[in-house]
């Protein structure tokens, strides 16, 4: 009996050691434990695209990227995006775009987001969410096969260094930031009433995508809701001659009401997924409130009015009627909007500082604590 007990103790000890190696947490300076995510896999649109659409469709040119990178970096911004600050916060490299074939490194994740993408087709881009999920499945299968083959043959160490570790797919953070283009496309081609009616179908497509990722080993999800689309200068400028359509902060009221309803249904869906996938961990991030707070208090925070953007038509340079388009303003850091649609690096910094610490999250956990209940992982 004594020998049997010691055998059980030994077996449980080995199991505990294995799980501790599979998932580790590190103690922060404050004494609490934070997650040690090994990789990030991102899905979304231009709000988090780090080079996908620029590589696959139309190159994003200067002056994009000038503030931080000093050159175009595949981002529709003068510098870094929120996804870049997520990587920095987790002490990981910036994500390479899956669609970019030059100079990429997927050791610590990959970015499947592409500009113009939506949850459901049709939209502005062929790379809707389900296409991105399909790309991830293929990416995981091919990189795992290649890694195992190279490891077995003990060759091409340089190639191996750029590949994700198969065991780390279940230890990665899966970030999702998509939905804005579903609403924007609806506003452009249908009525507000029709956009509202389309939300259940749009949100209803997300569970299949997340269940698929879960079946591929994903356990930790960081999901952004959609921002105040009615506050984008491109939205406001179409309605500025109709002040009765604007709220007290100069945003298009009906468009923001639709975004709020979208987010309500998204949050409900996340709650349902928590019940369906008890071993997964979901963090719902209220990006809408963070961005609306920024827009509401722009002047007090050192920004110009939110309707003013820094660079008109920054996706390409040209001249029309003697006016040169594509030239940025002198002080991008004073602008919330970079090009009328996308946020400036300065605005992204402000928003990132507030959402990454858990102030706008449900549950209210920082991104470094998004592996909560990690001991229940299977």
């Amino acid at each position: 009996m004594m020998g049997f007990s010691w055998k059980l103790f030994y077996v449980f000890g080995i199991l505990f050691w294995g799980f501790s190696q599979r998932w580790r947490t590190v103690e922060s300076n404050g004494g609490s434990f934070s997650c040690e995510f090994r990789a990030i896999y991102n899905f979304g649109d231009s709000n988090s695209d780090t080079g996908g659409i620029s590589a696959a469709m139309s190159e994003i040119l200067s002056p994009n990227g000038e503030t931080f990178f000093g050159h175009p970096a595949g981002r529709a911004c003068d510098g870094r995006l929120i996804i870049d600050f997520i990587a920095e916060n987790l002490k990981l490299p910036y994500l390479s775009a899956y669609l970019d074939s030059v100079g990429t490194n997927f050791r610590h994740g990959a970015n499947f987001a592409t500009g113009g993408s939506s949850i459901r087709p049709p939209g502005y881009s062929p790379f809707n969410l389900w296409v991105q999920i399909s790309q991830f499945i293929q990416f995981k299968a091919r990189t795992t096969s290649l890694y195992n083959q190279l490891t077995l043959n003990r060759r091409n160490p340089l190639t191996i260094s750029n590949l994700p570790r198969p065991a780390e797919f279940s230890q990665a953070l899966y970030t999702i930031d998509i939905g804005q283009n579903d609403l924007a496309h609806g506003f452009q081609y249908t009525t507000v009433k029709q956009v509202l009616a389309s939300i259940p179908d749009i949100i209803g497509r997300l569970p299949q995508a997340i269940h698929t990722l879960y079946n591929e080993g994903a356990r930790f999800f960081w999901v952004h809701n959609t921002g105040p689309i009615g506050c984008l200068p491109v939205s406001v400028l179409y309605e500025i001659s109709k002040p009765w359509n604007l709220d007290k902060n100069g945003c298009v009221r009906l468009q923001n009401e639709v975004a709020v309803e979208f987010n309500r249904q998204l949050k409900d869906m996340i709650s349902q997924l928590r019940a369906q996938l008890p071993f997964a961990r979901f963090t719902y991030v209220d990006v809408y409130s963070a961005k609306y707070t920024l827009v509401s208090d722009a002047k007090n925070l050192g920004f110009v009015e939110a309707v003013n953007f820094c660079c008109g038509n920054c996706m390409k340079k040209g001249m029309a009627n003697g006016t040169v388009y594509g030239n940025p303003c002198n002080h991008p850091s004073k602008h919330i909007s970079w090009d009328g649609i996308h946020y400036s690096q300065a605005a992204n910094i402000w928003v990132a500082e507030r959402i990454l610490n858990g102030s706008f999250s449900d549950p209210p956990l920082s991104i470094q604590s998004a592996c909560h209940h990690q001991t229940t992982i299977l």
Side-chain angles (χ1 to χ4, degrees):
M1 188 70 177
M2 178 83 63
F4 181 72
S5 298
W6 273 106
K7 287 179 181 179
L8 280 177
F9 179 83
Y10 177 79
V11 169
F12 281 116
I14 291 295
L15 287 173
F16 177 81
W17 181 87
F19 277 112
S20 69
Q21 294 302 305
R22 186 179 179 199
W23 184 264
R24 294 186 296 159
T25 57
V26 293
E27 189 171 5
S28 66
N29 294 332
S32 60
F33 285 89
S34 59
C35 306
E36 192 179 289
F37 291 113
R38 311 298 183 83
I40 304 168
Y41 292 98
N42 182 63
F43 306 86
D45 51 34
S46 58
N47 288 312
S48 60
D49 180 2
T50 56
I53 206 68
S54 184
M57 304 289 284
S58 179
E59 183 182 4
I60 294 178
L61 303 172
S62 176
N64 290 282
E66 66 168 21
T67 297
F68 181 77
F69 300 99
H71 56 79
R75 295 153 174 81
C77 179
D78 61 308
R80 291 164 291 178
L81 309 176
I82 291 175
I83 188 65
D84 295 313
F85 296 114
I86 289 176
E88 287 183 8
N89 188 280
L90 298 178
K91 297 179 173 55
L92 294 174
Y94 298 137
L95 292 181
S96 290
Y98 168 76
L99 293 174
D100 195 353
S101 59
V102 179
T104 50
N105 187 326
F106 300 118
R107 172 63 186 86
H108 294 287
N111 194 352
F112 298 88
T114 52
S117 293
S118 53
I119 295 172
R120 69 171 188 174
Y124 300 116
S125 165
F127 303 108
N128 60 69
L129 180 60
W130 185 247
V131 171
Q132 294 179 28
I133 299 297
S134 300
Q135 290 171 337
F136 169 79
I137 294 171
Q138 183 178 173
F139 172 86
K140 179 174 179 279
R142 294 180 64 189
T143 57
T144 297
S145 176
L146 180 58
Y147 178 85
N148 291 336
Q149 178 185 348
L150 294 175
T151 302
L152 182 64
N153 295 332
R154 296 183 179 180
R155 60 186 181 185
N156 293 338
L158 182 60
T159 301
I160 289 179
S161 69
N162 290 335
L163 293 176
R165 302 299 183 260
E168 293 178 4
F169 281 101
S170 63
Q171 301 167 356
L173 182 66
Y174 290 77
T175 53
I176 300 173
D177 186 346
I178 196 167
Q180 179 176 308
N181 287 316
D182 291 271
L183 302 185
H185 192 270
F187 290 139
Q188 184 174 355
Y189 294 104
T190 66
T191 66
V192 169
K193 185 177 181 180
Q194 288 174 307
V195 178
L196 271 172
S198 71
I199 292 176
D201 180 59
I202 296 170
I203 297 297
R205 295 170 185 253
L206 278 169
Q208 181 186 6
I210 290 175
H211 274 272
T212 301
L213 291 174
Y214 183 88
N215 291 337
E216 292 292 327
R219 291 296 181 268
F220 305 104
F221 298 90
W222 181 268
V223 184
H224 290 187
N225 67 12
T226 198
I229 188 171
C231 295
L232 298 178
V234 69
S235 299
V236 175
L237 291 176
Y238 280 109
E239 301 288 339
I240 204 162
S241 62
K242 307 170 187 176
W244 55 88
N245 288 343
L246 306 179
D247 66 14
K248 63 180 181 180
N249 293 305
C251 301
V252 182
R253 179 175 48 81
L254 286 177
Q255 290 191 4
N256 278 352
E257 288 176 358
V258 171
V260 168
E261 176 58 21
F262 177 95
N263 292 336
R264 185 191 68 78
Q265 294 187 34
L266 173 63
K267 190 174 184 179
D268 287 347
M269 185 271 291
I270 294 297
S271 296
Q272 294 170 22
L273 285 170
R274 288 190 181 113
Q276 295 167 11
L277 304 172
F279 297 116
R281 182 69 181 93
F282 292 93
T283 305
Y284 171 86
V285 187
D286 189 5
V287 173
Y288 180 100
S289 292
K291 288 183 174 179
Y292 194 78
T293 299
L294 173 60
V295 169
S296 302
D297 205 25
K299 288 187 176 180
N300 291 331
L301 294 170
F303 293 94
V304 300
E305 290 186 13
V307 70
N308 295 323
F309 51 94
C310 179
C311 191
N313 201 19
C314 262
M315 299 297 286
K316 59 183 178 180
K317 286 191 174 183
M319 178 176 289
N321 298 325
T323 301
V324 177
Y325 292 90
N327 288 328
C329 61
N330 292 326
H331 302 288
S333 63
K334 297 295 183 183
H335 291 259
I336 291 175
S337 178
W338 166 240
D339 58 7
I341 300 174
H342 307 99
Y343 284 69
S344 68
Q345 173 178 268
N348 287 330
I349 290 173
W350 192 93
V351 173
E353 287 176 347
R354 281 144 187 87
I355 65 172
L356 298 185
N357 66 11
S359 297
F360 290 87
S361 297
D362 176 30
L365 298 170
S366 73
I367 195 166
Q368 293 192 11
S369 300
C371 65
H372 192 56
H373 299 316
Q374 69 272 18
T375 55
T376 62
I377 299 175
L378 294 179

